[in-house]
Amino acid sequence: MAAQKRDGVTAGLLSWTELKARGDKYFKAGEFDSARFAYTAALEALENDQAEASADDKARLLGNRSMAAGRRGDWQSAAYDAVEALSKQPKDVKLACKMLFRVGSAAQGLGLADQARAAFQIGLELEPRLVPLSGRAFSFAYLIA
């Protein structure tokens, strides 16, 4: 299989953790398309390395890709990846709350207020305290009030 290359990311030659780190670097630099590509490559690499694959790792990568899509205003892709991440049934409650926050944010972006409120409410029920996201503290209670 030939390696794909884009913006310095060579899929097929790097481990999923290296590709995730590149995606994180691109995201922090505001290069959201490159971040999405790197997270997609990391997901593919993780799928090929079943020994290391965990549901939470897949959910984190999908969540990161969802966040990058959301930063670009691609709410459909953001929602899809966040829902897909939740379908992995992450064991980490904080991770599940982040995905619910992303589902709610994407629903807001798509103009689906009832779905956004539902996602935020479920997150509130899972974790009633402030949840740190993207370097800031958000309260689901504040978001649905």
Side-chain angles (χ1 to χ4, degrees):
M1 180 167 124
Q4 295 178 342
K5 185 171 182 172
R6 177 177 171 196
D7 300 325
V9 176
T10 305
L13 300 179
L14 300 174
S15 72
W16 75 268
T17 55
E18 292 168 315
L19 290 162
K20 179 191 177 299
R22 293 232 178 141
D24 294 345
K25 182 185 91 173
Y26 289 131
F27 185 89
K28 288 176 185 170
E31 298 176 31
F32 304 121
D33 283 333
S34 294
R36 286 173 70 181
F37 182 82
Y39 293 137
T40 298
L43 281 161
E44 291 169 3
L46 185 62
E47 286 295 323
N48 291 331
D49 189 0
Q50 292 298 321
E52 282 196 45
S54 80
D56 281 7
D57 291 331
K58 289 177 187 175
R60 276 188 187 84
L61 288 169
L62 286 162
N64 289 356
R65 192 169 71 179
S66 171
M67 189 167 53
R71 291 291 174 94
R72 292 198 65 251
D74 183 356
W75 300 117
Q76 187 104 17
S77 294
Y80 179 85
D81 281 343
V83 169
E84 183 69 17
L86 283 170
S87 78
K88 302 298 180 195
Q89 300 179 349
K91 293 177 180 68
D92 182 344
V93 173
K94 181 180 171 183
L95 177 59
C97 286
K98 284 183 178 182
M99 295 311 102
L100 286 162
F101 177 83
R102 292 190 184 127
V103 167
S105 297
Q108 277 185 320
L110 291 167
L112 304 170
D114 290 341
Q115 289 85 346
R117 182 178 297 275
F120 293 139
Q121 184 63 44
I122 294 167
L124 176 61
E125 291 168 7
L126 281 176
E127 181 57 63
R129 299 175 304 226
L130 295 178
V131 179
L133 299 170
S134 303
R136 298 184 292 168
F138 287 94
S139 166
F140 286 114
Y142 172 76
L143 291 169
I144 64 171

